[in-house]
Amino acid sequence: MTTKKILNWFISEKGQHASYILAGTIATLTPAAYFVSHTIFLEQYKKFKTLYSKGFSVPVPEELLKRFDETLELLKVPSIRRTDCRPFMTSGFDICSAGSGYSRFGIIVGLPNNFMYNDVDSLDKPRIKVNLESVNWELPASNQLLESLIFSENAQKYAIARELRYRESVKPLIDVFLTTTALLMTYGLSRLLNTKFNLYVKHRIVRLGMYGLVSLLSFGNYFLCKDAIEHYYEEAIDEELKKTSPIFVEGGKEYYSNIIKRNIALRELMGKEGRNLYSPSGNVNYLFRQKHIPLVDRKGFFETDSSQKTNISNPS
């Protein structure tokens, strides 16, 4: 009975006014939450993602600091802006980043722990877990996993450059705009249909059906736009890095080769969950969407570039 009263209150004049305020609040807080987390609270995000050992944050080794600075050199980042790009050690085996090139708070790039190792023998095997369990290192897939965790300097520089260029682009801001637009569109269209067809006097199931269809339309359009723009910027950034330096060409090819190798190994080691997450070719499986360009295609993008350079240098 209480639930029915609440639902009936929402279609009253006061309820509609409250819904209007709630929709406006959500649409305002969504971009605000993004900007705050990537600006004022950037250091808090860094602390959350930082790699710790015995209660202390792991400092970035001198070799990685030098590699990071060399990447900034390759990208021709002005000296005055280099202090705005700061590396830190992050947990896990994936590089990450936060912040924005449009903010005075700058950009932070999380370097994974395995970037510190130069060969398989130097990896700390006991600390590597799959599904929170120790790995059977006698399996072929386990050795493949180990090999995939070692990245050369070129591969690391490509990964760092990719994150920096992404944070310097307007893509994160577009995502916020798309999210806000989808929320406002859902509320605005629902209110318009309710008013135009006087659905407030119809049975509740009619309104719920309309809300479902409007939400499907709004967020379906949101996901289509978001994924298309993500693909565009991924391709644009790779294209830019490919033209910037041969180091990024070789690095990109190796980086994606290793990620693919890692996913294939995890597909076997993780059992059913691994088969759900990764395809036999090493791409990430998505149920309906294609959130990113397939890894095999991104690897092939750099391989094509390399073969073209080979043909130019060897015209015979």
Side-chain angles (χ1 to χ4, degrees):
M1 188 69 177
T2 304
T3 303
K4 185 176 181 181
K5 286 184 177 180
I6 293 173
L7 293 175
N8 288 335
W9 179 81
F10 270 108
I11 64 175
S12 66
E13 186 175 344
K14 289 184 178 180
Q16 293 178 43
H17 183 67
S19 298
Y20 175 77
I21 294 174
L22 180 62
T25 302
I26 293 175
T28 302
L29 290 179
T30 298
Y34 171 83
F35 288 118
V36 168
S37 61
H38 286 272
T39 53
I40 299 174
F41 292 146
L42 187 60
E43 285 301 312
Q44 281 65 34
Y45 174 86
K46 178 181 174 182
K47 290 178 181 178
F48 176 74
K49 296 288 289 185
T50 292
L51 175 66
Y52 292 92
S53 178
K54 298 180 181 179
F56 297 94
S57 60
V58 176
V60 181
E62 286 296 327
E63 286 187 8
L64 287 185
L65 286 174
K66 180 181 178 182
R67 206 162 293 158
F68 191 88
D69 289 338
E70 289 173 349
T71 304
L72 296 178
E73 288 278 357
L74 289 170
L75 293 175
K76 295 181 173 59
V77 177
S79 300
I80 195 171
R81 290 185 51 216
R82 291 187 184 182
T83 55
D84 294 335
C85 303
R86 308 180 300 279
F88 69 98
M89 299 307 299
T90 187
S91 56
F93 298 117
D94 290 310
I95 193 169
C96 64
S97 63
S100 172
Y102 296 94
S103 164
R104 67 180 180 86
F105 293 91
I107 301 169
I108 57 174
V109 179
L111 308 179
N113 187 41
N114 53 306
F115 274 20
M116 296 191 294
Y117 301 108
N118 298 317
D119 53 59
V120 171
D121 294 333
S122 61
L123 286 169
D124 190 359
K125 292 182 183 180
R127 296 187 63 179
I128 300 176
K129 306 290 183 182
V130 174
N131 286 344
L132 301 179
E133 296 181 359
S134 299
V135 179
N136 180 2
W137 299 112
E138 301 299 322
L139 298 174
S142 301
N143 293 323
Q144 185 179 15
L145 176 62
L146 284 178
E147 293 172 358
S148 71
L149 297 178
I150 303 299
F151 293 90
S152 70
E153 289 189 22
N154 289 350
Q156 292 180 26
K157 288 177 181 178
Y158 163 77
I160 294 169
R162 186 192 67 177
E163 294 300 313
L164 289 171
R165 281 295 184 249
Y166 178 81
R167 289 295 161 187
E168 290 173 346
S169 73
V170 297
K171 170 63 173 59
L173 302 179
I174 292 175
D175 285 345
V176 176
F177 172 76
L178 290 176
T179 304
T180 305
T181 301
L183 291 170
L184 291 176
M185 178 180 174
T186 302
Y187 173 78
L189 188 56
S190 297
R191 186 181 178 89
L192 175 65
L193 293 174
N194 274 327
T195 303
K196 183 173 182 179
F197 297 103
N198 196 21
L199 297 182
Y200 295 117
V201 300
K202 303 290 184 181
H203 193 278
R204 188 179 302 114
I205 196 68
V206 176
R207 292 194 302 277
L208 291 177
M210 183 269 291
Y211 294 149
L213 290 174
V214 170
S215 298
L216 184 63
L217 172 65
S218 299
F219 285 94
N221 183 64
Y222 161 75
F223 289 127
L224 284 174
C225 292
K226 186 176 188 301
D227 293 348
I229 294 171
E230 182 73 34
H231 285 209
Y232 170 80
Y233 275 97
E234 286 178 347
E235 185 175 344
I237 290 171
D238 280 349
E239 180 69 36
E240 179 189 351
L241 295 179
K242 186 173 66 173
K243 293 177 180 178
T244 300
S245 171
I247 289 176
F248 293 142
V249 176
E250 294 304 316
K253 183 169 58 175
E254 180 194 333
Y255 180 80
Y256 289 113
S257 294
N258 279 22
I259 297 298
I260 289 170
K261 186 186 297 184
R262 185 190 69 180
N263 291 351
I264 292 173
L266 289 175
R267 174 182 166 85
E268 182 174 341
L269 294 173
M270 294 175 69
K272 183 179 179 180
E273 184 180 352
R275 291 190 293 273
N276 290 334
L277 288 173
Y278 307 111
S279 70
S281 61
N283 284 321
V284 179
N285 287 328
Y286 297 109
L287 186 58
F288 297 112
R289 301 166 56 192
Q290 187 64 54
K291 298 180 182 179
H292 301 280
I293 296 175
L295 295 170
V296 172
D297 291 346
R298 298 193 77 170
K299 172 175 173 281
F301 182 72
F302 289 101
E303 288 177 333
T304 301
D305 179 87
S306 298
S307 63
Q308 289 175 347
K309 286 181 179 292
T310 301
N311 290 339
I312 293 172
S313 59
N314 298 286
S316 58

XYZ file of all heavy atoms in Angstrom, residues 171-217:
379
model
N 37.939 13.703 -25.421
C 37.093 12.519 -25.317
C 36.447 12.360 -23.942
O 35.231 12.108 -23.858
C 37.930 11.269 -25.657
C 37.267 9.937 -25.357
C 36.009 9.712 -26.184
C 35.435 8.323 -26.017
N 35.063 7.968 -24.647
N 37.195 12.470 -22.822
C 36.530 12.342 -21.516
C 35.424 13.373 -21.302
O 34.399 13.076 -20.685
C 37.680 12.547 -20.514
C 38.906 12.143 -21.263
C 38.649 12.607 -22.676
N 35.614 14.586 -21.836
C 34.599 15.626 -21.691
C 33.368 15.304 -22.531
O 32.229 15.570 -22.115
C 35.170 16.982 -22.112
C 36.420 17.449 -21.358
C 36.889 18.803 -21.896
C 36.142 17.544 -19.863
N 33.595 14.708 -23.702
C 32.470 14.307 -24.549
C 31.639 13.243 -23.844
O 30.406 13.235 -23.919
C 32.973 13.795 -25.912
C 33.591 14.943 -26.711
C 31.841 13.158 -26.709
C 34.214 14.516 -28.022
N 32.302 12.318 -23.146
C 31.584 11.272 -22.413
C 30.646 11.879 -21.373
O 29.511 11.422 -21.194
C 32.578 10.337 -21.715
C 33.253 9.387 -22.690
O 32.765 9.260 -23.831
O 34.263 8.766 -22.317
N 31.125 12.903 -20.673
C 30.296 13.575 -19.671
C 29.100 14.241 -20.350
O 27.961 14.150 -19.864
C 31.124 14.617 -18.894
C 30.231 15.379 -17.919
C 32.254 13.947 -18.145
N 29.344 14.897 -21.470
C 28.266 15.559 -22.210
C 27.224 14.542 -22.670
O 26.012 14.775 -22.540
C 28.842 16.292 -23.422
C 27.803 16.834 -24.358
C 27.095 17.982 -24.042
C 27.520 16.181 -25.555
C 26.117 18.472 -24.904
C 26.551 16.657 -26.418
C 25.843 17.811 -26.088
N 27.683 13.398 -23.185
C 26.756 12.375 -23.660
C 25.909 11.809 -22.522
O 24.704 11.568 -22.680
C 27.524 11.242 -24.340
C 28.173 11.556 -25.695
C 28.984 10.367 -26.180
C 27.116 11.921 -26.728
N 26.554 11.588 -21.359
C 25.821 11.053 -20.209
C 24.749 12.028 -19.752
O 23.592 11.647 -19.506
C 26.787 10.764 -19.047
O 27.809 9.876 -19.482
C 26.052 10.136 -17.881
N 25.114 13.298 -19.636
C 24.162 14.320 -19.204
C 23.012 14.452 -20.199
O 21.844 14.559 -19.815
C 24.870 15.676 -19.057
O 25.979 15.538 -18.166
C 23.925 16.726 -18.521
N 23.352 14.419 -21.489
C 22.331 14.516 -22.533
C 21.359 13.347 -22.468
O 20.135 13.525 -22.615
C 22.990 14.560 -23.924
O 23.871 15.679 -24.001
C 21.940 14.678 -25.015
N 21.881 12.147 -22.242
C 21.025 10.957 -22.166
C 20.063 11.054 -20.986
O 18.873 10.713 -21.107
C 21.882 9.704 -22.047
N 20.546 11.544 -19.856
C 19.684 11.690 -18.681
C 18.585 12.724 -18.927
O 17.405 12.484 -18.627
C 20.530 12.098 -17.476
C 21.497 11.035 -16.938
C 22.433 11.648 -15.903
C 20.727 9.867 -16.334
N 18.982 13.867 -19.472
C 18.002 14.926 -19.740
C 17.005 14.512 -20.819
O 15.814 14.832 -20.732
C 18.726 16.211 -20.160
C 19.539 16.907 -19.064
C 20.279 18.104 -19.638
C 18.639 17.335 -17.907
N 17.496 13.781 -21.823
C 16.613 13.323 -22.889
C 15.580 12.332 -22.353
O 14.397 12.386 -22.717
C 17.446 12.665 -24.003
C 16.625 12.115 -25.139
S 17.658 11.362 -26.432
C 16.394 10.679 -27.504
N 16.022 11.442 -21.474
C 15.105 10.458 -20.890
C 13.996 11.147 -20.110
O 12.810 10.846 -20.276
C 15.872 9.490 -19.960
O 16.897 8.848 -20.700
C 14.940 8.441 -19.387
N 14.407 12.099 -19.257
C 13.401 12.800 -18.452
C 12.516 13.696 -19.328
O 11.283 13.676 -19.216
C 14.083 13.651 -17.378
C 13.095 14.518 -16.636
C 12.279 13.980 -15.652
C 12.955 15.876 -16.961
C 11.337 14.769 -14.999
C 12.020 16.667 -16.310
C 11.215 16.108 -15.332
O 10.286 16.885 -14.695
N 13.147 14.473 -20.205
C 12.388 15.423 -21.020
C 11.387 14.741 -21.935
O 10.231 15.178 -22.040
N 11.809 13.670 -22.602
C 10.910 12.970 -23.518
C 9.779 12.280 -22.756
O 8.628 12.261 -23.210
C 11.712 11.953 -24.341
C 10.976 11.255 -25.488
C 10.380 12.289 -26.446
C 11.917 10.326 -26.249
N 10.100 11.731 -21.593
C 9.073 11.074 -20.772
C 8.026 12.086 -20.318
O 6.813 11.832 -20.367
C 9.709 10.404 -19.553
O 10.589 9.375 -19.947
N 8.484 13.234 -19.892
C 7.562 14.281 -19.442
C 6.706 14.790 -20.602
O 5.496 15.017 -20.446
C 8.353 15.427 -18.819
C 7.496 16.520 -18.188
C 8.361 17.622 -17.607
N 7.550 18.696 -17.049
C 7.109 18.732 -15.794
N 7.398 17.726 -14.961
N 6.388 19.743 -15.366
N 7.320 14.949 -21.770
C 6.581 15.413 -22.946
C 5.484 14.433 -23.326
O 4.338 14.838 -23.587
C 7.553 15.586 -24.117
C 6.922 15.967 -25.464
C 6.286 17.348 -25.381
C 7.963 15.929 -26.578
N 5.809 13.128 -23.338
C 4.809 12.118 -23.706
C 3.712 12.016 -22.657
O 2.527 11.841 -23.001
C 5.492 10.764 -23.900
C 6.445 10.665 -25.095
C 7.170 9.328 -25.100
C 5.687 10.855 -26.411
N 4.092 12.123 -21.396
C 3.082 12.088 -20.332
C 2.081 13.225 -20.474
O 0.870 13.048 -20.317
C 3.757 12.179 -18.957
C 4.182 10.821 -18.436
O 3.535 9.807 -18.690
N 5.282 10.786 -17.697
N 2.616 14.415 -20.789
C 1.768 15.604 -20.901
C 0.931 15.586 -22.177
O -0.278 15.857 -22.156
C 2.634 16.875 -20.873
O 3.417 16.889 -19.673
C 1.767 18.118 -20.933
N 1.578 15.245 -23.303
C 0.888 15.293 -24.594
C -0.252 14.287 -24.677
O -1.332 14.591 -25.215
C 1.885 15.049 -25.719
C 1.272 15.165 -27.107
C 2.332 15.073 -28.190
C 1.710 15.251 -29.576
N 2.718 15.200 -30.663
N -0.027 13.081 -24.154
C -1.041 12.029 -24.253
C -1.765 11.802 -22.929
O -2.499 10.816 -22.793
C -0.384 10.724 -24.726
C 0.218 10.816 -26.097
C 1.589 10.952 -26.262
C -0.586 10.788 -27.218
C 2.155 11.034 -27.519
C -0.031 10.875 -28.493
C 1.342 11.002 -28.644
N -1.516 12.698 -21.975
C -2.177 12.629 -20.665
C -2.061 11.208 -20.070
O -3.059 10.611 -19.639
C -3.654 13.030 -20.796
C -4.262 13.345 -19.438
O -3.533 13.651 -18.479
N -5.583 13.256 -19.340
N -0.866 10.715 -20.037
C -0.645 9.357 -19.532
C -0.760 9.261 -18.016
O -0.802 8.158 -17.468
C 0.750 8.862 -19.962
C 0.975 8.737 -21.472
C 2.374 8.184 -21.747
C -0.085 7.847 -22.120
N -0.844 10.420 -17.347
C -0.970 10.398 -15.888
C -2.278 9.753 -15.438
O -2.372 9.232 -14.322
C -0.885 11.819 -15.333
C 0.466 12.468 -15.552
C 0.577 13.622 -16.341
C 1.622 11.939 -14.976
C 1.808 14.228 -16.543
C 2.852 12.541 -15.182
C 2.947 13.673 -15.964
O 4.166 14.262 -16.164
N -3.286 9.794 -16.312
C -4.577 9.201 -15.943
C -4.688 7.756 -16.431
O -5.678 7.083 -16.143
C -5.744 10.030 -16.523
C -5.688 11.455 -15.985
C -5.722 10.037 -18.047
N -3.672 7.308 -17.193
C -3.684 5.932 -17.685
C -3.210 4.983 -16.590
O -2.710 5.396 -15.541
C -2.763 5.799 -18.905
C -3.099 6.732 -20.059
C -4.390 6.344 -20.734
C -4.656 7.242 -21.947
N -5.929 6.900 -22.629
N -3.363 3.695 -16.863
C -2.896 2.691 -15.903
C -1.368 2.787 -15.767
O -0.655 3.128 -16.710
C -3.296 1.291 -16.385
C -3.142 0.247 -15.328
N -1.932 -0.365 -15.043
C -4.060 -0.288 -14.477
C -2.101 -1.239 -14.062
N -3.383 -1.215 -13.700
N -0.882 2.496 -14.573
C 0.544 2.618 -14.279
C 1.411 1.812 -15.252
O 2.505 2.226 -15.620
C 0.810 2.154 -12.852
C 2.231 2.411 -12.373
C 2.429 1.938 -10.942
N 1.499 2.602 -10.044
C 0.518 1.969 -9.382
N 0.351 0.663 -9.538
N -0.296 2.623 -8.587
N 0.919 0.687 -15.700
C 1.704 -0.177 -16.590
C 1.982 0.506 -17.921
O 3.018 0.269 -18.569
C 0.975 -1.530 -16.820
C 1.951 -2.556 -17.413
C -0.248 -1.346 -17.701
C 3.035 -2.989 -16.470
N 1.069 1.402 -18.338
C 1.263 2.146 -19.589
C 2.444 3.097 -19.450
O 3.304 3.189 -20.335
C -0.013 2.918 -19.969
C 0.234 3.766 -21.224
C -1.171 1.952 -20.209
N 2.480 3.810 -18.330
C 3.591 4.745 -18.101
C 4.919 4.003 -17.950
O 5.943 4.435 -18.484
C 3.322 5.592 -16.861
C 2.164 6.565 -17.027
C 2.155 7.603 -15.920
N 2.074 6.967 -14.612
C 0.924 6.564 -14.039
N -0.223 6.717 -14.681
N 0.924 6.008 -12.849
N 4.893 2.902 -17.231
C 6.125 2.134 -17.042
C 6.653 1.605 -18.378
O 7.856 1.606 -18.632
C 5.878 0.973 -16.072
C 5.615 1.359 -14.612
C 5.303 0.114 -13.780
C 6.814 2.091 -14.030
N 5.725 1.181 -19.243
C 6.133 0.713 -20.567
C 6.745 1.838 -21.384
O 7.753 1.655 -22.074
N 6.122 3.026 -21.270
C 6.651 4.192 -21.985
C 8.030 4.572 -21.453
O 8.954 4.850 -22.223
C 5.678 5.363 -21.845
C 6.094 6.620 -22.607
S 7.113 7.727 -21.586
C 5.910 8.294 -20.382
N 8.198 4.555 -20.119
C 9.493 4.879 -19.527
C 10.572 3.899 -19.996
O 11.711 4.287 -20.269
C 9.412 4.829 -17.997
C 8.520 5.875 -17.389
C 7.839 5.623 -16.198
C 8.346 7.116 -17.990
C 7.007 6.573 -15.620
C 7.509 8.082 -17.427
C 6.837 7.804 -16.244
O 6.017 8.743 -15.683
N 10.195 2.636 -20.110
C 11.151 1.621 -20.560
C 11.594 1.866 -21.995
O 12.782 1.782 -22.310
N 10.624 2.196 -22.861
C 10.946 2.447 -24.270
C 11.794 3.709 -24.433
O 12.750 3.735 -25.221
C 9.654 2.572 -25.082
C 8.854 1.279 -25.281
C 7.526 1.571 -25.974
C 9.658 0.259 -26.088
N 11.440 4.761 -23.685
C 12.207 6.011 -23.755
C 13.633 5.792 -23.247
O 14.601 6.271 -23.851
C 11.501 7.115 -22.951
C 12.416 8.336 -22.805
C 10.202 7.525 -23.630
N 13.768 5.039 -22.158
C 15.100 4.757 -21.613
C 15.923 3.939 -22.600
O 17.120 4.195 -22.788
C 14.985 3.993 -20.286
O 14.307 4.768 -19.321
N 15.278 2.966 -23.245
C 15.968 2.152 -24.238
C 16.445 3.008 -25.405
O 17.570 2.860 -25.892
C 15.030 1.049 -24.738
C 15.621 0.038 -25.732
C 16.755 -0.753 -25.085
C 14.543 -0.908 -26.237
N 15.590 3.938 -25.847
C 15.949 4.835 -26.946
C 17.097 5.762 -26.545
O 18.094 5.888 -27.270
C 14.727 5.660 -27.357
C 14.977 6.783 -28.375
C 15.409 6.186 -29.711
C 13.716 7.636 -28.552
